[in-house]
Amino acid sequence: MDRRRSGTRAVDPDLAPHPPSAALHRAEHQAAFLRLLDWVAGAAEDLFALAVPVDCVCCGSEDHSLCPSCAGRLRQLTREPFRVESGAPALMDVAGTVILPVVAAGVYRDELAQGLLSFKRHGQHQLAKSLGRALASAVRAAARGGPGFLLVPVPTSTSAYVSRGFSPVHLLLKQAARQLPGFEVADVLRKAAPGGRVPDGYKGFVGRKALGGQKGLGRGARSQRVRGSMQVKPRVRAKVTGRPCILIDDVLTTGATLGEAARALHLAGAQVRGAVVLAATRPPDAPDPDAVPAGPPRNHHDLEKNKPGKDE
């Protein structure tokens, strides 16, 4: 029906209210302990703001790296995790079958995009708490209450790690893991060194270019660059063999990186049940015949393209 004739207005699905659901209750001692931690963290942030003035990374207001208003908006954008693999070409086959299910905390836009970029590019580690909370919520949605999963972070590129001095995915997962009892973090993946032992079909792609960043690349170029670029660390291979695993990354674009990480875990005998990302966006435009925009996911939010690109 035409909305103009019916007199109704289209509503942004990211802002539409969600049906009420049962609250998740914690034990009294655990809830009290978490409230105490929040109070101590808040007091420390206030003292830090007095000593070193800070501005909100989203709106520029003073005294908070993320002001209460923008923090509330961030919680709203990530309050309902959703499936996003249908918007990632590398995670769907030609018949439309899901290769790897992925849950995102939110769409890469507005406060979520700005907060994540500030955390990654400018070292705003004060944002880890808010972003980690959103990531933990997405992990719970992906696991559907099932315990015993290994949470495997996707390794950052060597150049990005040298430039930043830290891995954003590992820091965010460390923060999220504090809110995920029953889950174990398993840092078992690494970038394959040039000339390392990788499957024969992938050796041609493992080199300096394969270990570089992917910003601005299209679907085909991204897939080639990451192919054969990851492997499970030999000394911890037994840790993942036969274990159910969930991959963790920060931003989903084409899905090539997650697909390669899943391949490496499968070769080590792990049971890859899915992946979780903090934010999802469409693949970037590029002068590549394979770099075609993915269609909107069925029965899910539209994945809106944000101006800042993924920098890994």
Side-chain angles (χ1 to χ4, degrees), residues 48-302:
F48 182 79
L50 290 175
V52 182
V54 294
D55 296 332
C56 176
V57 299
C58 296
C59 68
S61 63
E62 298 178 350
D63 297 336
H64 295 280
S65 56
L66 189 66
C67 72
S69 177
C70 292
R73 172 65 176 166
L74 177 60
R75 287 193 296 271
Q76 183 182 21
L77 290 172
T78 57
R79 66 178 180 176
E80 193 73 17
F82 55 96
R83 293 277 293 273
V84 292
E85 67 277 355
S86 57
L91 303 181
M92 304 287 292
D93 65 15
V94 293
T97 304
V98 176
I99 297 174
L100 181 71
V102 184
V103 172
V107 178
Y108 189 69
R109 56 182 288 188
D110 301 335
E111 286 81 3
L112 179 57
Q114 189 60 48
L116 183 53
L117 285 172
S118 297
F119 176 78
K120 293 175 61 175
R121 295 182 179 178
H122 306 297
Q124 294 281 358
H125 292 179
Q126 305 94 320
L127 303 175
K129 181 179 177 181
S130 296
L131 297 175
R133 183 186 297 113
L135 182 61
S137 176
V139 170
R140 285 191 290 267
R144 297 182 180 180
F149 285 97
L150 292 179
L151 304 180
V152 181
V154 172
T156 189
S157 66
T158 303
S159 59
Y161 186 86
V162 171
S163 174
R164 297 190 185 108
F166 67 97
S167 168
V169 176
H170 287 73
L171 288 186
L172 291 176
L173 181 54
K174 181 179 180 180
Q175 185 68 229
R178 297 174 180 175
Q179 307 172 48
L180 296 168
F183 293 84
E184 180 183 355
V185 176
D187 185 13
V188 298
L189 288 175
R190 71 178 183 185
K191 292 288 185 178
R197 186 178 180 182
V198 295
D200 293 338
Y202 296 132
K203 286 183 179 179
F205 297 104
V206 179
R208 186 175 299 276
K209 289 185 178 180
L211 298 178
Q214 298 188 79
K215 182 178 179 180
L217 298 181
R219 172 185 174 184
R222 281 175 179 256
S223 296
Q224 285 191 355
R225 177 156 292 186
V226 302
R227 199 168 297 163
S229 64
M230 295 186 203
Q231 59 184 199
V232 173
K233 301 172 186 177
R235 294 183 179 180
V236 294
R237 190 183 186 93
K239 186 173 185 177
V240 300
T241 302
R243 294 288 302 276
C245 300
I246 295 178
L247 285 162
I248 307 294
D249 205 357
D250 51 4
V251 179
L252 175 70
T253 49
T254 65
T257 300
L258 284 176
E260 168 60 17
R263 180 203 65 82
L265 285 175
H266 278 303
L267 287 179
Q271 301 175 13
V272 184
R273 299 294 177 82
V276 171
V277 296
L278 184 60
T281 185
R282 289 178 180 172
D285 294 327
D288 183 326
D290 290 330
V292 292
R298 295 183 295 272
N299 300 323
H300 302 302
H301 298 295
D302 289 334

